Amino acid sequence: MARRRLLVTPVARGRGRSRHGRGGRSSVTGPDLPPVITRAELFDRIVADTAHYLVERWPDELANVVFQVADMPSTAEQPTVMPRWLVEHQPPRVTIYRIPVERVTRLPEKDDLDRRIIVETSVLRAVAELIGKDPWDLAPDRYRHF
């Protein structure tokens, strides 16, 4: 099986925390279990899965697009609406902002599937903005099974 190329590049993100000068924390799972996947890593995986799906479906339009994940926009100005993604046309780049996307909805009954759909929808809408198509045209069969 051919290995897929890495599509999503996380923008510099700190790993772990050093609280009160005590150094990094140890793993919650201990040495015998696999490490816990953080919310940021899970978000990166969902964005990468969606990006791979879209590149396979639209190879000509998305051949040179760079996908990135950042925690927050890095601009100094205060926007009136918090952007969830940034689309650049030259060079083609899509940056998805993790924290604004994760906080789109504050429903208490939001489960893992709802979170995944929110992230995928953000990627679809950003790519649709980049290539000038309707988001529903990019992945017409993606949610047909619901």
Side-chain angles (χ1 to χ4, degrees):
M1 182 166 129
R3 191 176 164 123
R4 299 187 299 187
R5 69 180 176 97
L6 180 65
L7 277 181
V8 176
T9 307
V11 177
R13 176 184 297 142
R15 180 74 174 129
R17 297 183 353 191
S18 175
R19 297 179 72 186
H20 309 291
R22 290 182 279 195
R25 292 181 161 185
S26 64
S27 172
V28 173
T29 59
D32 299 327
L33 297 173
V36 174
I37 297 172
T38 65
R39 282 191 324 226
E41 291 168 340
L42 182 61
F43 188 92
D44 293 347
R45 287 182 183 183
I46 295 170
V47 171
D49 289 347
T50 309
H52 281 291
Y53 172 80
L54 289 172
V55 168
E56 288 173 3
R57 256 187 93 66
W58 301 90
D60 297 334
E61 291 86 348
L62 302 175
N64 298 319
V65 176
V66 174
F67 291 89
Q68 289 184 326
V69 174
D71 286 337
M72 289 288 288
S74 59
T75 59
E77 57 192 58
Q78 295 289 343
T80 56
V81 176
M82 180 58 69
R84 288 177 278 177
W85 59 80
L86 173 67
V87 173
E88 300 173 51
H89 293 279
Q90 287 300 328
R93 179 186 320 263
V94 173
T95 304
I96 306 294
Y97 298 123
R98 182 180 63 85
I99 293 173
V101 169
E102 284 181 339
R103 303 213 165 125
V104 161
T105 60
R106 296 190 182 269
L107 300 174
E109 64 274 358
K110 185 168 60 171
D111 62 2
D112 292 339
L113 181 61
D114 293 328
R115 287 185 196 99
R116 182 173 188 93
I117 289 172
I118 289 168
V119 175
E120 287 179 350
T121 302
S122 297
V123 176
L124 287 169
R125 291 177 65 192
V127 170
E129 182 180 323
L130 176 71
I131 63 175
K133 295 198 179 287
D134 186 68
W136 290 105
D137 293 339
L138 293 179
D141 296 328
R142 185 76 167 174
Y143 303 109
R144 194 173 300 261
H145 58 279
F146 287 111

